[in-house]
Amino acid sequence: MFDLTGMKVLVVGVANDQSIAYGCAKAFREQGADLAVTFLNEKAEPHVRPLAEELDAEIVAPLDVRDLEQQDALFREITEKWGRLDTLLHSIAFSKKEDLHGRVVDCSAEGFGLAMDISVHSFLRLIRGAEPLMPQGGTCMTVSFMGAQKVVENYGVMGPVKAALEAATRYAAAEMGPRGISVHALSPGPLKTRAASGIAEFDELLNDAAERAPTHQLATIDDVGAYAAFLASREAFNVTGGIHFIDGGYSIVG
């Protein structure tokens, strides 16, 4: 694994110990990084804070990405405590249940806008907040899904939303490149996470992925974390703008 000793990493999106964000945070910490971990609200804090403390996170703070004052407070705390940031991991997405389970063409403008704001524009806002803290360069990552590129049954409006996230990743990579900041989207195959549990008939998708993937294995949060740790390392400084599939090859199967 790659050495991240002394690197300062912000992880947004830990909900529990099955979260992709937790798998990444764990990998970052195992390689020596110092962590800042956020939780959504008071209801989420009891589930997230013990995990953050287990990983010796130096900063544990609330962040509802719709609350710009909270975001500003978070970056102020990072500035005061660390003075810089090396890596940002954004692993959050949201859609109203009726929009996720309904037809894309029936999605309300309000629901579409909300899903885009939380799942996509929040990543751009966080990159913008992190940029001044990365004067020597850095790494920004988000999490996508193959439903961005192919129609996945029951994925609903999150397909177009994740497609927008992947496009935003490419444009952000082009814009941040001259500053030495790389931007990536991690695209795991189907994983058993709390967020995925909202997708109808998700167990069938898991079974199909395991059967059809060349490795016949589902990816784990540890697999995603290992890849994220590489992208955060100095060795990956010249890699940017990609959609990185971590899915046992499921995405290549027709």
Side-chain angles (χ1 to χ4, degrees):
M1 194 72 77
F2 298 88
D3 186 12
L4 304 181
T5 300
M7 297 183 79
K8 312 300 184 185
V9 179
L10 169 60
V11 178
V12 178
V14 175
N16 56 36
D17 63 0
Q18 300 300 307
S19 300
I20 292 171
Y22 175 69
C24 293
K26 187 168 61 169
F28 295 144
R29 183 61 187 145
E30 287 172 352
Q31 301 314 309
D34 300 318
L35 299 179
V37 175
T38 68
F39 55 88
L40 176 59
N41 51 33
E42 291 181 357
K43 183 178 179 181
E45 183 176 4
H47 302 283
V48 178
R49 185 173 288 277
L51 297 175
E53 292 175 349
E54 171 191 305
L55 297 174
D56 298 317
E58 296 185 359
I59 297 172
V60 184
L63 180 63
D64 180 334
V65 292
R66 295 172 296 178
D67 188 333
L68 297 184
E69 291 184 2
Q70 276 192 353
Q71 178 176 307
D72 289 344
L74 171 64
F75 282 115
R76 279 197 303 271
E77 185 173 0
I78 290 172
T79 300
E80 292 167 4
K81 189 170 186 65
W82 290 340
R84 75 173 205 274
L85 187 65
D86 297 295
T87 296
L88 159 69
L89 176 78
H90 166 280
S91 182
I92 56 174
F94 177 80
S95 169
K96 289 184 176 181
K97 186 176 293 186
E98 57 267 30
D99 294 325
L100 182 63
H101 292 168
R103 301 191 309 171
V104 171
V105 295
D106 294 327
C107 181
S108 67
E110 177 191 4
F112 193 86
L114 180 63
M116 287 287 289
D117 181 64
I118 295 176
S119 309
V120 183
H121 197 257
S122 66
F123 182 42
L124 300 178
R125 293 196 294 269
L126 287 169
I127 293 174
R128 191 162 62 244
E131 182 181 6
L133 292 167
M134 296 179 170
Q136 304 303 316
T139 306
C140 300
M141 289 178 259
T142 189
V143 178
S144 188
F145 183 64
M146 63 178 293
Q149 300 184 13
K150 300 177 182 178
V151 175
V152 173
E153 192 172 1
N154 298 314
Y155 200 52
V157 72
M158 288 308 300
V161 169
K162 290 293 189 181
L165 180 64
E166 293 186 2
T169 295
R170 289 187 286 271
Y171 276 83
E175 293 168 355
M176 295 293 104
R179 301 205 57 173
I181 299 172
S182 60
V183 186
H184 309 275
L186 306 168
S187 185
L191 293 176
K192 287 186 177 180
T193 64
R194 180 182 176 185
S197 65
I199 301 173
E201 301 177 14
F202 192 70
D203 285 344
E204 292 183 15
L205 181 60
L206 290 171
N207 293 335
D208 178 69
E211 180 179 338
R212 296 178 62 209
T215 65
H216 298 300
Q217 294 183 42
L218 297 173
T220 68
I221 62 172
D222 293 329
D223 295 332
V224 183
Y227 205 110
F230 162 65
L231 292 176
S233 72
R234 298 302 182 196
E235 287 81 358
F237 79 99
N238 205 29
V239 180
T240 192
I243 313 303
H244 304 274
F245 291 99
I246 310 153
D247 60 1
Y250 180 59
S251 56
I252 70 171
V253 179

